Structures are given as structure tokens and as C-alpha cells.
Amino acid sequence: VQLQASGGGLVQAGGSLSLSCAASGRTFSNYVMGWFRQAPGKEREFVTGISWSGGHTYYADSVKGRFAISRDNAKNTVYLQMNSLKPEDTAVYFCAADSRWGKVREYDYWGQGTQVTVSS
């Protein structure tokens, strides 16, 4: 499956930003979808994941209550709504797909990443 993330940009602390990730190539609803991020000089980290139908989600503690993942299987798209952004949320954000639920690393397929910068 091919993944194309979009929606990154520059936002002030406390602001909001929405990311999208469009999938193509295979049946989108067959995949668990996730968002990861990588800040400069740091390892890539798990942000959030959503189950095949969207009925279950899980979040890293650092974003819980501020970020929300959702998906629209009819549009082959997964979304990440980011609210109350902090400078430490600055990173390149990647969407990813995997056939298995509950993983926080090593997804099977990856998008190209989109930059999110939060100014203080």
C-alpha cells in the first residue's frame, strides 16, 4: 500500500493542525493505521494507532487528550487532529500501515513524512 501524508506546517504553541494520509494500492480497511513522528536528533516514536474499522484507538501518553486519530475507509484516508500543540511536538510526522493491531513500531508500510513545526 502506498501512503501520502499531507497537512504539515508552522503553527504557534497552543494552536491546532490537521494531518491527512491518503492510501492507495491495496484495500485500505485491511490495515491498522498509525502515526509516528521523528524530531531532529531523536528516534522515531509512536504517536497513535487506529484499528481497521476505526472502532479502537490508542495513543502515546505524550499526546493523549490533545491528538485524535480517525479514518474514513470510503476515502482511503486516515487523519490526525492535533490540538494544544507544544514546541516539543515539532517533528516530521509519518503515517504507516500494518496488518496487525497493537504495534508501536515496525509497521509494514510508510509514507514520506510531513513537517510539523510548533513555535513558542
Side-chain angles (χ1 to χ4, degrees):
V1 59
Q2 290 79 47
L3 304 172
Q4 181 74 37
S6 61
L10 174 64
V11 63
Q12 289 188 333
S16 297
L17 206 59
S18 181
L19 306 182
S20 299
C21 175
S24 62
R26 297 196 180 187
T27 304
F28 181 65
S29 58
N30 285 349
Y31 294 94
V32 170
M33 298 300 298
W35 286 96
F36 291 74
R37 66 186 182 187
Q38 186 167 20
K42 295 187 177 181
E43 293 186 354
R44 186 170 59 195
E45 65 174 354
F46 171 81
V47 176
T48 179
I50 189 166
S51 62
W52 303 268
S53 64
H56 299 280
T57 59
Y58 58 113
Y59 296 89
D61 288 342
S62 58
V63 306
K64 202 171 295 184
R66 300 188 299 121
F67 289 14
I69 188 172
S70 61
R71 67 189 294 163
D72 185 337
N73 287 347
K75 296 182 178 180
N76 293 345
T77 302
V78 62
Y79 306 95
L80 181 63
Q81 177 64 40
M82 303 183 291
N83 300 323
S84 302
L85 283 161
K86 305 175 181 179
E88 51 263 44
D89 294 319
T90 295
V92 177
Y93 283 71
F94 300 87
C95 60
D98 198 278
S99 58
R100 291 161 289 181
W101 172 247
K103 295 174 64 176
V104 295
R105 60 174 62 88
E106 301 301 332
Y107 272 44
D108 289 336
Y109 302 97
W110 294 86
Q112 86 290 359
T114 185
Q115 177 71 46
V116 171
T117 303
V118 184
S119 63
S120 56

